[in-house]
Amino acid sequence: MSESPFPRHAPRAVDTPRFLEGRRVALRAVTEDEYVDYNTRWTNDPEVCALLNRGTYPTTPDDHRAEYRSRVGRHTDIELFMLDKASGEVVGITGLHSIQWIPRHLEFRVMIGVKEAWNRGLGTEALVLLCRYAFERPMRPQP
């Protein structure tokens, strides 16, 4: 595997189980400490959040920890880290939110926090993977 073109922000994630996988991007579960670390950095970067609802005001690690814990165990939100398969690096976060399983209504979100990963089609590929997951496979609503 070649040297990563991305700055090192966290341990490589090559051994972490992947939930969905495309040609260039893989999506995997988000852990609490990683969620807090990445989101605190990314949502406080005005350039990363320029076109997002996030980053409107400064956030702290405690803000993100509370946000993460409020979603754990809920069946209306799925958040996944985006990995660049070429490097194994986490480059962003994506997910399905406000999910209504029966009519299959939901909100899709993506934030690519590693600027070197912008304009490479990784967000588009993540969207395709999540849409296939949400709309093409049989769903059983969770209790």
Side-chain angles (χ1 to χ4, degrees):
M1 191 174 289
S2 63
E3 183 63 28
S4 170
F6 307 120
R8 291 301 299 255
H9 295 298
R12 293 175 56 82
V14 292
D15 295 328
T16 305
R18 295 170 179 192
F19 182 66
L20 298 171
E21 198 159 350
R23 192 171 57 84
R24 294 174 296 157
V25 70
L27 306 178
R28 70 156 174 91
V30 174
T31 65
E32 183 173 344
D33 288 340
E34 289 175 312
Y35 183 88
V36 170
D37 177 51
Y38 285 112
N39 273 293
T40 301
R41 216 167 334 112
W42 293 341
T43 61
N44 285 300
D45 183 329
E47 193 175 5
V48 170
C49 294
L51 301 174
L52 304 176
N53 195 28
R54 310 275 324 218
T56 305
Y57 53 89
T59 57
T60 67
D62 288 341
D63 295 330
H64 292 290
R65 192 167 308 284
E67 182 179 58
Y68 177 87
R69 289 177 178 172
S70 75
R71 291 186 178 145
V72 172
R74 288 179 46 190
H75 301 288
T76 57
D77 294 281
I78 299 170
E79 283 207 286
L80 302 163
F81 273 135
M82 296 174 52
L83 296 137
D84 179 337
K85 287 178 65 174
S87 68
E89 300 286 341
V90 172
V91 296
I93 191 165
T94 188
L96 305 175
H97 300 275
S98 304
I99 301 168
Q100 298 175 39
W101 290 105
I102 302 297
R104 295 188 185 210
H105 290 242
L106 55 87
E107 180 180 313
F108 171 79
R109 297 180 194 162
V110 63
M111 177 172 57
I112 300 177
V114 176
K115 296 171 194 169
E116 295 83 358
W118 290 359
N119 300 311
R120 296 188 43 230
L122 302 178
T124 301
E125 189 170 316
L127 171 62
V128 170
L129 290 170
L130 284 173
C131 283
R132 286 185 182 146
Y133 170 77
F135 298 111
E136 291 181 3
R137 67 182 286 251
M139 285 291 171
R140 290 194 250 342
Q142 301 295 318

